[in-house]
Amino acid sequence: MKFTQTQQQRIIELDLTGEYVAKTEEEFASLEEREAAFREIDQELIKENQRRLVEFIDHKHQSSLRKNEFKIVDSLTQLGFSEVITPIKLAQGHLKKMGINEEHPLWKQVYWVDDGKYCLRPMLAPNLYYLLGYFEGSLSKPVKIFEIGPCFRKESRGSKHLSEFTMLNIVELGPTGDPCVRLKSLIEELMSTLELDYYLEEEESAVYNKTIDVMVDGVEVGSAAIGPHSLDRAWNISQPWVGVGFGLERLVMCKEDLNNIKRVGRSLIYQDGARLNI
Ligand code: ATP
Ligand code: MG
């Protein structure tokens, strides 16, 4: 006999890294044997979650998400990028200027506020586009900026999507040299700061003509694009640019080998990976 569905569910919920998933398929000769095995796994998992929580509160004092965010800010500012801060509330018109309208798949994922005049930004790109449109005429090139902040998308998918997540978007307007080479070296800088192995995958994108995805073990952690792009004119951009957007929770999830992104996102059920109500 196998673990009951409830037992399997409990193991999956408490398991931090997915190492116990294989055990949910184990066969037992008797009910007693099964219950004993479940108790043992359950105790181990409770202990591991408690250990992680204590480590966070007593020693780290800051979640891995934040620690990595600060590390990234440090590294990017040292590379000459300036951190901008823009509104979370985004005008509908600015979303449409990104080519995201009623027909676009992302439209259905948008949280609207103020009777649809605004939304909670599903991405940072429109605000950064807006700023670059201003900076292009007023600053010397290259203009190097980034933003880290909350983004929102209605998501129904499981372990790699959050409805509120943290986006990191880095853009460079008027890069020196070949934009593609520049983009790749930028990605390399960031991923080596985080000590994460990655590979690139080129993909057709609905918002940008073509995107280069940054992948870690089969998980998309970021999407990059190169301009000139057909959207540029609407934002008063005429120079080449390179840009890449990362999901911070995805990066941390990959870095810590966690089996569910919810462990690292904004939550009242988890803190810094540890499950609270067990
Ligand atoms: P996916 O195909 O995985 O849903 P996407 O291609 O729609 O992602 P992008 O618009 O390229 O996402 O956003 C840039 C990055 O933001 C993604 O590579 C991912 O790391 C992160 N991201 C996007 N949506 C979410 C989400 N709902 N939860 C957590 N991270 C996300
Ligand atoms: Mg993408």
Side-chain angles (χ1 to χ4, degrees):
M1 70 176 66
K2 284 184 165 187
F3 284 127
T4 64
Q5 281 236 311
T6 320
Q7 288 173 329
Q8 289 190 7
Q9 196 53 42
R10 164 102 178 149
I11 293 170
I12 290 165
E13 264 172 22
L14 295 190
D15 190 6
L16 283 152
T17 59
E19 64 181 304
Y20 285 85
V21 171
K23 296 200 179 186
T24 60
E25 292 304 318
E26 251 173 70
E27 292 278 351
F28 301 99
S30 68
L31 188 68
E32 290 74 38
E33 202 184 301
R34 185 187 75 186
E35 295 308 298
F38 176 72
R39 268 196 305 277
E40 193 182 322
I41 293 178
D42 195 49
Q43 287 310 309
E44 276 173 37
L45 289 175
I46 290 173
K47 238 196 313 193
E48 181 51 24
N49 272 280
Q50 182 65 16
R51 191 201 59 72
R52 201 172 160 117
L53 183 61
V54 170
E55 166 75 16
F56 168 46
I57 299 294
D58 288 356
H59 303 289
K60 281 173 74 182
H61 304 305
Q62 194 179 41
S63 69
S64 295
L65 189 69
R66 271 279 194 269
K67 271 192 189 300
N68 283 294
E69 178 178 333
F70 288 145
K71 211 173 177 180
I72 291 168
V73 171
D74 242 18
S75 158
L76 287 173
T77 48
Q78 275 179 37
L79 289 168
F81 285 83
S82 302
E83 184 178 13
V84 298
I85 303 168
T86 70
I88 289 172
K89 230 170 84 176
L90 179 74
Q92 189 195 102
H94 281 185
L95 196 61
K96 287 194 162 160
K97 244 166 116 171
M98 285 300 295
I100 297 164
N101 53 28
E102 288 80 349
E103 281 86 56
H104 194 283
L106 197 59
W107 187 263
K108 291 189 210 64
Q109 293 184 260
V110 172
Y111 288 96
W112 294 105
V113 291
D114 287 352
D115 296 325
K117 277 204 279 285
Y118 294 90
C119 65
L120 299 177
R121 62 185 180 190
M123 51 171 63
L124 302 176
N127 290 348
L128 297 186
Y129 242 143
Y130 184 94
L131 290 183
L132 285 185
Y134 174 76
F135 292 155
E136 188 178 277
S138 52
L139 296 172
S140 57
K141 304 327 151 269
V143 179
K144 309 202 284 190
I145 58 171
F146 72 99
E147 177 161 14
I148 301 181
C151 286
F152 303 80
R153 293 181 191 182
K154 292 181 186 170
E155 297 279 4
S156 48
R157 286 169 291 176
S159 63
K160 293 179 187 66
H161 290 87
L162 292 162
S163 51
E164 41 182 300
F165 60 100
T166 316
M167 190 88 92
L168 155 69
N169 214 317
I170 312 168
V171 282
E172 183 168 325
L173 180 73
T176 24
D178 178 354
C180 194
V181 172
R182 176 63 187 135
L183 178 63
K184 286 179 181 166
S185 82
L186 199 53
I187 293 170
E188 171 58 29
E189 293 273 10
L190 188 90
M191 296 305 274
S192 69
T193 299
L194 296 175
E195 295 168 83
L196 265 174
D197 288 332
Y198 69 97
Y199 54 96
L200 301 178
E201 259 180 15
E202 297 202 6
E203 214 180 57
E204 293 308 312
S205 152
V207 178
Y208 305 99
N209 305 337
K210 187 189 216 171
T211 60
I212 300 167
D213 284 344
V214 186
M215 309 290 295
V216 175
D217 286 334
V219 177
E220 179 194 317
V221 294
S223 280
I226 295 178
H229 186 280
S230 52
L231 292 173
D232 292 358
R233 197 208 288 237
W235 298 95
N236 297 323
I237 306 281
S238 58
Q239 302 240 350
W241 56 268
V242 297
V244 55
F246 290 94
L248 221 57
E249 289 84 359
R250 289 246 183 117
L251 288 165
V252 173
M253 177 190 165
C254 290
K255 200 168 150 60
E256 306 216 336
D257 263 337
L258 298 174
N259 61 354
N260 197 318
I261 197 168
K262 292 187 178 64
R263 286 194 177 266
V264 289
R266 289 175 184 269
S267 177
L268 295 176
I269 299 172
Y270 299 100
Q271 279 300 307
D272 195 36
R275 186 159 176 120
L276 306 182
N277 52 349
I278 46 180

